[in-house]
Amino acid sequence: MSETLFSKIIRKEIPADIVYEDDSALCFRDIHPVAPIHLLLIPKLEIARLADLKSDEHTEIMGHLMSLVPKIAQQEGILDAFRLVVNSGAGAGQTVFHLHLHIIGGRALNWPPG
């Protein structure tokens, strides 16, 4: 996988407003939020996109990320209503090719989203 903005955030080479971190995941505020709360939850393991998940290691990290979502949503005060979005590939709107989950909330969200 090529170097990404998120790789540099993981290594603390560029600043981010981090709201959660552990040994395998990092969550920070999106610099172009679409709602009052817009977070990006990323694995520290380099996976370019959701479509690239293949190994047991990937299953483990995705389970970990999903278990973090409600904890982070509660911490941010949006547990009652939030949206989780994962774009996989440029055609789906992915612009940074390091797998990331958007946690979005803090206002009423419309459907369909895009």
Side-chain angles (χ1 to χ4, degrees), residues 5-48:
L5 177 69
F6 294 172
S7 303
K8 293 177 182 179
I9 290 172
I10 291 168
R11 291 192 307 266
K12 309 289 194 288
E13 293 174 2
I14 59 174
D17 186 356
I18 296 170
V19 299
Y20 177 86
E21 183 174 13
D22 64 25
D23 290 342
S24 57
L26 184 69
C27 186
F28 52 94
R29 297 192 191 285
D30 194 304
I31 60 170
H32 299 293
V34 299
I37 304 294
H38 185 168
L39 308 171
L40 301 175
L41 177 59
I42 65 172
K44 290 184 177 178
L45 179 66
E46 291 185 352
I47 305 166

Side-chain angles (χ1 to χ4, degrees), residues 74-112:
Q74 181 173 17
Q75 171 186 305
E76 293 294 312
I78 59 169
L79 186 60
D80 288 341
F82 66 90
R83 180 170 290 155
L84 184 65
V85 176
V86 181
N87 300 315
S88 186
Q94 185 176 5
T95 57
V96 178
F97 285 85
H98 184 121
L99 177 68
H100 54 286
L101 288 68
H102 296 258
I103 304 170
I104 302 167
R107 68 166 171 82
L109 301 170
N110 297 322
W111 194 261

